[in-house]
Structures are given as C-alpha cells and as structure tokens.
Amino acid sequence: MDISYRRLGDGAVIFSHRTWKTHILTPAATLIFEALDEVRPADGGPVPRAAALALLRQDLDVETDTPSTQQLLRMLRRLGVIA
C-alpha cells in the first residue's frame, strides 16, 4: 500500500501517495480500516475481498450492502487495502 494513515480524534485521515488524494474517515470507517489493517497479509498486500467482507459481517457486525459501506469498500479497494 502506498498510503499514509493518521488517527485524528475518533476519526482518521488517509493520504494516497499515488493519487495525492486525502480521504477523511468517520469514526466507524476508522474502526473498519484498522480492523482490516490488522488482518493484512504478512507481505503487506491487500486483504482478499472475501476475507474483508467476512470480517466486516461476522466480527464487526457491519451491514456490507448499505450505500455508505459500499462507498467505503470501493475507496479501500482503490487504495489497495482490499483486493
């Protein structure tokens, strides 16, 4: 991943060095990002999509079909967090 992550209060900011875009994360999105970051493969690659969805649904009890969650997942895929 070619990103910088910084926690700010309950939320966070992600900066993409590839696109030079800054993404502001809500507190809920921050928890999701940090949970996915914890299960990233040892080589630092992206979390497989099926594993990411299972983590969100089973461990975090997140509805993955809502528009806001889908938007977050698309962003995380573009950033290379999710495969």
Side-chain angles (χ1 to χ4, degrees):
M1 277 188 308
D2 199 18
I3 62 174
S4 294
Y5 172 79
R6 173 164 277 199
R7 187 87 188 240
L8 295 173
D10 292 335
V13 174
I14 296 176
F15 176 76
S16 170
H17 297 274
R18 185 176 46 83
T19 64
W20 284 78
K21 289 185 179 179
T22 300
H23 305 271
I24 308 298
L25 300 182
T26 65
T30 299
L31 293 175
I32 290 171
F33 174 83
E34 290 178 351
L36 291 169
D37 192 47
E38 287 181 18
V39 299
R40 257 192 10 224
D43 66 3
V47 177
R49 182 169 173 76
L53 291 175
L55 173 77
L56 295 180
R57 290 178 186 141
Q58 296 167 7
D59 295 352
L60 300 179
D61 199 27
V62 172
E63 294 288 333
T64 58
D65 296 333
T66 66
S68 59
T69 303
Q70 288 294 311
Q71 181 181 10
L72 175 62
L73 293 173
R74 281 191 301 274
M75 181 196 67
L76 293 175
R77 190 172 44 249
R78 284 192 305 270
L79 291 172
V81 176
I82 299 173

